[in-house]
């Protein structure tokens, strides 16, 4: 099994540095261009099917990458982005600095805002998706596209990184828009072949 795990293209909220989380925002023009460019770069990859977050920015990224191909696309709630609760939509510059610092640099002590989701919670639901996926017998020889979000991608990759640790959750950075992570799974073991590749 080979997995191409991709973060969605750019949105206007990315540019404005507003927290998107579970908010259902659209790709901007640059995000659409990034997704199309990624699709062109991956046009020879023989994808069998795709799983995507139900949020529009991820789903549209998947659709643009796979445009012109008859490849099934399935929504999965476990791939949606982390929820920031009452922080959703806010300018990150106006939020409590220590809380954002913990989210990005000290994830082991990050506490979500009211109505939000913890790092451990998103790791649990993405792990559930990942483990179910790699155990499906009919998919063992398939190539899959997975379209998701920055935090959700890093949570998924906690199942792959040999040095996985919540204290090193971000693995150096937030995945870039349309960053591609390629994972190979054999005999139930996952190996990261490429990390955060951006085409163009």
């Amino acid at each position: 099994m080979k997995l191409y795990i991709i973060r969605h293209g750019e949105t206007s909220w990315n540019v404005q540095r507003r927290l998107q989380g579970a908010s259902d925002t659209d790709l901007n023009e640059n995000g659409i261009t990034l997704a199309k460019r990624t699709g062109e770069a991956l046009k020879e990859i023989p994808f069998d099917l795709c799983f995507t977050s139900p949020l529009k920015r991820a789903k549209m990224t998947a659709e643009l990458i796979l445009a012109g191909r008859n490849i099934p696309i399935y929504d999965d709630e476990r791939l949606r982005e982390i929820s920031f609760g009452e922080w959703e939509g806010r300018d990150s510059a106006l939020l409590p600095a220590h809380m954002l610092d913990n989210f990005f640099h000290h994830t082991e002590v990050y506490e979500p805002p009211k109505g939000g989701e913890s790092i451990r919670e998103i790791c649990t639901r993405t792990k559930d998706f990942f483990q179910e996926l790699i155990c499906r017998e009919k998919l063992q020889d398939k190539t899959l596209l997975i379209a998701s979000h920055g935090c959700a991608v890093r949570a998924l990759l906690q199942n792959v990184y040999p040095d996985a640790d919540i204290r090193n959750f971000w693995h150096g950075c937030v995945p870039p828009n349309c960053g591609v992570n390629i994972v190979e799974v054999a005999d139930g073991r996952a190996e990261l072949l490429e990390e955060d590749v951006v085409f163009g």
Side-chain angles (χ1 to χ4, degrees):
M1 181 187 296
K2 191 167 280 189
L3 310 176
Y4 286 72
I5 303 173
I6 298 177
R7 184 189 178 200
H8 62 79
E10 186 182 82
T11 71
S12 59
W13 283 23
N14 287 146
V15 177
Q16 296 163 7
R17 301 183 68 81
R18 293 168 66 186
L19 292 185
Q20 291 181 104
S23 300
D24 204 5
T25 56
D26 291 301
L27 298 180
N28 62 17
E29 286 303 313
N30 185 49
I32 291 170
T33 299
L34 277 171
K36 288 180 176 178
R37 191 181 298 148
T38 305
E40 180 64 23
L42 300 178
K43 66 182 180 182
E44 301 301 325
I45 304 300
F47 291 114
D48 294 289
L49 67 161
C50 169
F51 292 96
T52 177
S53 158
L55 298 178
K56 288 183 291 187
R57 60 191 184 271
K59 194 167 185 178
M60 187 175 182
T61 298
E63 291 169 347
L64 289 168
I65 289 172
L66 299 175
R69 300 208 241 177
N70 187 25
I71 296 169
I73 299 176
Y74 300 99
D75 293 2
D76 196 302
E77 281 287 337
R78 293 170 293 183
L79 295 174
R80 66 179 166 76
E81 184 57 303
I82 194 170
S83 171
F84 289 109
E86 63 183 11
W87 287 6
E88 294 273 330
R90 296 191 186 181
D91 182 337
S92 59
L94 303 179
L95 293 170
H98 74 281
M99 292 185 182
L100 279 181
D101 185 58
N102 285 344
F103 182 70
F104 290 111
H105 304 291
H106 306 285
T107 45
E108 73 278 7
V109 295
Y110 170 70
E111 293 186 11
K114 185 177 180 180
E117 187 177 18
S118 72
I119 296 284
R120 287 181 173 84
E121 285 172 323
I122 192 173
C123 285
T124 296
R125 65 173 162 84
T126 53
K127 182 176 183 177
D128 183 64
F129 168 84
F130 188 83
Q131 293 298 328
E132 179 186 303
L133 187 72
I134 67 172
C135 289
R136 289 173 64 175
E137 285 188 26
K138 291 182 179 179
L139 299 182
Q140 295 307 307
D141 61 345
K142 305 300 184 185
T143 300
L144 313 179
L145 177 69
I146 298 172
S148 192
H149 309 266
C151 186
V153 165
R154 283 295 187 257
L156 271 173
L157 292 174
Q158 296 303 304
N159 300 282
V160 181
Y161 293 137
D163 57 345
D165 188 311
I166 196 168
R167 290 170 294 185
N168 188 29
F169 176 82
W170 292 103
H171 228 238
C173 67
V174 177
N177 291 116
C178 282
V180 181
N181 294 271
I182 305 174
V183 175
E184 189 167 54
V185 182
D187 300 321
R189 298 185 66 181
E191 179 184 2
L192 184 65
L193 304 181
E194 299 279 353
E195 185 174 21
D196 296 345
V197 177
V198 177
F199 297 100

